[in-house]
Amino acid sequence: MKKKYFACAMGLVLALSLAACGEEEVVVENTNEEVTQEVQTQEVAEAPTETVAETGTEAEGGPLLQVAVMEIPDLSGTEWNFAGGMIDGVEMEEEDLNATLETYGGTLQLVFGEDGAVTMVQGGGNAEGTYEYSDDNTAIKMTLDFGGTEVTYAGFLSEVGDTVTLIAMSDMNGYDGLYFVQ
């Protein structure tokens, strides 16, 4: 029973972390329930291009702002599947990952199309939007439409083990992000 409550709580925390900030009401639907949440509109800065080790300064923000970033190749025609994430500075465990996927109807993907189009594929429906590269090709800015509410994500690539991982953050605190792999 505790695991079920924890999974629901993690799903809600993830849903809240995916929303941008503002004061309009957004209804997030999944296969079993409707969750209403307040969001605040917030501009997302580009992902960092240097790690703390490179700059020699003390770190600001969470652990996701400390990872080494890679140059982003052309993403057109690629699909990235949800593989985990970080919530409040803590890496998701497999149980959290499964609960999050359940929250999104069993599917969570980023699909990059031609001409800067991006789709977040979810089991309960898709969010369409656009993406653009930073000037130095180390970050992307994704703007997705969730039922009339635009949510902006900063994304960057990092090598986790031997796997290139796309990390998407809806804010720049560095404590919350979703991981996607090809």
Side-chain angles (χ1 to χ4, degrees):
M1 189 74 146
K2 284 184 181 180
K3 288 183 180 182
K4 195 173 209 177
Y5 284 118
F6 180 73
C8 289
M10 291 301 291
L12 182 58
V13 168
L14 182 62
L16 292 172
S17 72
L18 289 176
C21 307
E23 294 204 354
E24 56 188 306
E25 194 171 297
V26 176
V27 177
V28 179
E29 296 182 41
N30 69 26
T31 56
N32 297 324
E33 63 184 86
E34 240 179 22
V35 179
T36 303
Q37 61 191 23
E38 283 210 4
V39 294
Q40 299 173 347
T41 313
Q42 172 180 310
E43 189 83 16
V44 175
E46 292 181 354
T49 59
E50 297 180 324
T51 64
V52 173
E54 292 168 339
T55 62
T57 61
E58 187 170 321
E60 289 188 32
L64 292 176
L65 297 179
Q66 314 313 313
V67 300
V69 299
M70 304 168 56
E71 187 171 327
I72 299 176
D74 181 13
L75 294 174
S76 298
T78 64
E79 293 182 10
W80 296 77
N81 299 302
F82 176 65
M86 181 175 286
I87 299 174
D88 293 328
V90 178
E91 293 285 339
M92 285 184 179
E93 294 182 11
E94 187 169 343
E95 184 178 300
D96 305 325
L97 183 141
N98 293 335
T100 300
L101 276 176
E102 187 177 317
T103 300
Y104 287 97
T107 303
L108 187 57
Q109 289 180 306
L110 288 173
V111 178
F112 294 92
E114 302 295 322
D115 300 324
V118 63
T119 302
M120 182 177 276
V121 178
Q122 303 174 20
N126 299 341
E128 304 289 334
T130 60
Y131 71 98
E132 59 187 74
Y133 298 92
S134 64
D135 291 338
D136 62 359
N137 269 6
T138 59
I140 58 172
K141 176 182 175 183
M142 296 176 281
T143 304
L144 295 161
D145 181 8
F146 289 91
T149 300
E150 282 192 352
V151 178
T152 302
Y153 294 89
F156 56 92
L157 294 180
S158 186
E159 198 161 356
V160 179
D162 292 334
T163 305
V164 174
T165 303
L166 172 62
I167 300 172
M169 299 185 303
S170 63
D171 59 38
M172 288 303 296
N173 69 13
Y175 290 95
D176 303 298
L178 298 176
Y179 305 162
F180 296 87
V181 296
Q182 284 188 300

